[in-house]
Amino acid sequence: MQKCQSYISEHKDRFLDELLGLLRIPSVSADPSRSADMQKAAALIRDELEKAGADVSKVCEIEGHPIVYGEKIIDPTLPTVLVYGHYDVQPPDPLDLWDSPPFDPVIKDEKIYARGACDDKGQMYMHIKAFEAMVKTGSLACNVKFMIEGEEEVGSEGLGPFLEQNKEMLAADVVLVSDTSIIANDIPSITCGLRGITYLQVEVTGPNMDLHSGTFGGAVANPINVLCKMIASLTDENNHITIPNFYDDVLELGEQERSAMNKAPFDLDAYKEMLGIADVQGEAGYTTIERASIRPTLDCNGIWGGYTEEGAKTVLPSKAHAKISMRLVPNQDPHKIADLFQKHFEAIAPSSVSVKVDPFHGGQPYLTPTDNKGYKAAHYAMEKGFGKAPLPARAGGSIPIVALFEKTLGLKTILMGFGLNSDQIHSPNEHYGLFNFYKGIETIPYFYEEFARLSAC
Ligand code: BES
Ligand code: MN
Ligand code: MN
């Protein structure tokens, strides 16, 4: 292990340079004009896996953006770790809010600034470099398989069928993912839960054409006004969601679990200051930590309609639209929630408009049990890497594929992420600390070492 750690410190600068090369490729999965860049990023990762020492490395074409697969089987009697990550990134917009171009990475104040620096190119790349270090120093203790996809940020639609069709190729003992955060650089944590999600788009139609807002205004429903009222009514004065039966399947946590999670270090004033808000807001009866992890939510992600260009136009538009997401917690089901939403949204629409609800994508919530070899190995690794025992922590974000690993491959996923909630993922000026990048590369080999040891007893 000492040899492996020395290899990492000797090749530090090259590791960073290589990551910057990957960050220069604008692999935005949501943007159809970027499909050549998706191919370019996939090919680069395949080459990297090969150079690092994988015996198999290939780009698998699926209906959507390709999946990169790699493996090194050193001994079939040893346990196998399946590493999952994603090379696709969120759109960089709004571009004018970036201090430097999103696909022209720069290092500033010990941080890498670029779209995907943290989510998830930087974090995924740590695994390739840790793998390289273990292979080159003869310290790889487990078999390894890599599955790096290109559609995570758009819901991983093509991944379900890929898992179904490649069960044998993907057979493993545990899935290891770095695509989440730690509490702070001096407070390591392991993510033990993810929220699920239901994402949909709604359309409200009033009159069959845009109208003069003076001639018709007041007499005909304005779909934007109606849509705003409808969205506003989806939560009440206590910020409870008003959709009937929405909370039916929510797993309520016991007092003990709640008080344990609220003991995690959290500075509310620093949180407000970071976000530039005078106060937080959320469901009555729950703390900020709880609101952002163990409770379901409903948010409007975008809303449009009517005239939005410069100046004024007096118009009563025919249509209004919104994108609405609901974060779900164990044991809520995204399909069931989509149905409840649709029924309710249609029911509350006044007769002066018609509504259309189109589901986009969804993902199941996930809980990682802490009494298994994978979690124990991650605990050991984080403690070795940071010199401090990690805390378990539930995350508010979603990784839709994680529940499918369990359902299709029967595998538990260990969420050993190294980002920070302040890394501005999905936002302008996304960044990833050099500390976090290197700490991840150093910590990952300890996971393999301990997972092999625990699997042997
Ligand atoms: N890496 C994030 C999820 C995440 C971030 C989990 C921070 C925990 C802490 C992932 O790339 C992501 O953004 N997922 C999407 C999923 C959606 C597009 C279906 C999300 O959570 O919005
Ligand atoms: Mn991610
Ligand atoms: Mn993301």
Side-chain angles (χ1 to χ4, degrees):
M1 187 51 72
Q2 194 43 54
K3 262 165 69 188
C4 178
Q5 295 295 340
S6 311
Y7 183 96
I8 293 168
S9 75
E10 280 157 28
H11 293 85
K12 264 181 138 167
D13 294 342
R14 174 172 58 82
F15 290 174
L16 178 59
D17 267 358
E18 290 170 353
L19 170 62
L20 299 188
L22 179 61
L23 292 173
R24 286 190 189 101
I25 306 175
S27 46
V28 180
S29 50
D31 183 349
S33 77
R34 293 299 193 190
S35 64
D37 291 306
M38 299 304 289
Q39 292 288 347
K40 218 166 126 187
L44 187 145
I45 294 162
R46 181 207 48 215
D47 293 349
E48 279 292 332
L49 284 171
E50 190 180 336
K51 274 191 276 172
D55 298 327
V56 177
S57 61
K58 56 184 181 184
V59 173
C60 307
E61 294 297 338
I62 58 166
E63 210 171 291
H65 303 303
I67 295 169
V68 186
Y69 178 78
E71 68 174 43
K72 187 170 190 71
I73 308 296
I74 47 174
D75 176 351
T77 65
L78 286 175
T80 302
V81 177
L82 174 61
V83 175
Y84 163 83
H86 62 95
Y87 66 84
D88 65 322
V89 300
Q90 287 274 331
D93 317 74
L95 286 173
D96 53 322
L97 295 184
W98 285 79
D99 295 333
S100 54
F103 299 109
D104 191 358
V106 295
I107 314 289
K108 209 173 72 184
D109 306 328
E110 300 286 302
K111 296 177 191 85
I112 312 158
Y113 282 84
R115 170 58 86 231
C118 171
D119 184 13
D120 179 43
K121 285 174 173 172
Q123 295 211 62
M124 174 273 288
Y125 208 69
M126 302 179 315
H127 285 269
I128 302 182
K129 294 298 109 178
F131 171 65
E132 176 192 319
M134 291 186 285
V135 172
K136 304 289 177 194
T137 57
S139 44
L140 185 62
C142 303
N143 301 312
V144 194
K145 295 179 175 178
F146 284 89
M147 188 179 103
I148 312 297
E149 71 149 318
E151 300 207 302
E152 197 276 341
E153 300 291 10
V154 289
S156 300
E157 295 288 337
L159 218 56
F162 185 79
L163 294 191
E164 285 289 348
Q165 288 154 19
N166 294 283
K167 283 187 189 168
E168 203 157 314
M169 177 175 89
L170 299 169
D173 295 281
V174 72
V175 182
L176 181 62
V177 179
S178 294
D179 193 22
T180 54
S181 321
I182 49 175
I183 295 174
N185 281 351
D186 57 351
I187 311 168
S189 56
I190 300 173
T191 301
C192 56
L194 293 166
R195 286 197 280 199
I197 187 168
T198 291
Y199 199 113
L200 3 88
Q201 184 164 319
V202 298
E203 181 185 87
V204 174
T205 307
N208 58 4
M209 60 184 134
D210 285 8
L211 301 172
H212 188 288
S213 67
T215 316
F216 293 94
V220 176
N222 179 322
I224 302 180
N225 296 23
V226 171
L227 176 58
C228 289
K229 277 194 188 166
M230 289 172 75
I231 293 173
S233 80
L234 295 175
T235 48
D236 67 15
E237 68 281 7
N238 290 315
N239 291 305
H240 278 110
I241 295 157
T242 56
I243 299 168
N245 303 101
F246 182 86
Y247 290 96
D248 281 5
D249 300 327
V250 168
L251 197 78
E252 301 281 346
L253 264 61
E255 269 318 308
Q256 221 176 345
E257 259 177 300
R258 287 183 65 184
S259 89
M261 73 181 292
N262 283 305
K263 284 204 186 85
F266 177 71
D267 182 341
L268 186 60
D269 288 327
Y271 184 84
K272 290 194 271 192
E273 196 181 314
M274 168 178 88
L275 303 176
I277 50 175
D279 211 347
V280 291
Q281 190 207 278
E283 190 181 356
Y286 294 91
T287 64
T288 297
I289 292 185
E290 292 171 334
R291 289 168 177 172
S293 63
I294 59 159
R295 297 300 297 167
T297 62
L298 184 148
D299 277 293
C300 179
N301 298 258
I303 183 162
W304 70 100
Y307 185 68
T308 55
E309 301 304 313
E310 203 146 329
K313 176 186 180 190
T314 48
V315 62
L316 193 166
S318 165
K319 286 180 191 295
H321 303 86
K323 291 181 193 282
I324 294 172
S325 69
M326 287 159 279
R327 295 283 169 176
L328 312 178
V329 300
N331 294 316
Q332 288 179 295
D333 177 71
H335 301 290
K336 189 169 162 188
I337 294 294
D339 287 345
L340 290 177
F341 178 93
Q342 177 160 6
K343 248 185 28 216
H344 180 63
F345 209 70
E346 287 167 358
I348 60 174
S351 53
S352 51
V353 300
S354 61
V355 302
K356 206 169 104 207
V357 178
D358 287 317
F360 256 7
H361 56 63
Q364 304 276 352
Y366 186 73
L367 280 180
T368 309
T370 54
D371 60 350
N372 59 80
K373 287 178 216 155
Y375 190 88
K376 286 181 185 149
H379 192 280
Y380 171 89
M382 292 298 263
E383 187 160 13
K384 282 288 256 189
F386 285 82
K388 206 170 170 181
L391 299 169
R394 295 264 296 259
S398 312
I399 307 177
I401 193 62
V402 167
L404 282 185
F405 283 134
E406 171 128 57
K407 194 171 149 232
T408 313
L409 304 177
L411 297 178
K412 300 279 180 234
T413 296
I414 305 305
L415 298 157
M416 192 169 78
F418 293 87
L420 293 173
N421 285 346
S422 55
D423 285 341
Q424 296 177 227
I425 64 173
H426 295 204
S427 170
N429 300 317
E430 174 178 354
H431 54 269
Y432 191 40
L434 290 176
F435 169 87
N436 306 70
F437 178 60
Y438 292 126
K439 188 59 83 182
I441 301 173
E442 290 157 18
T443 301
I444 289 163
Y446 294 120
F447 176 91
Y448 286 76
E449 179 188 56
E450 184 67 359
F451 192 67
R453 200 185 66 76
L454 291 172
S455 300
C457 15

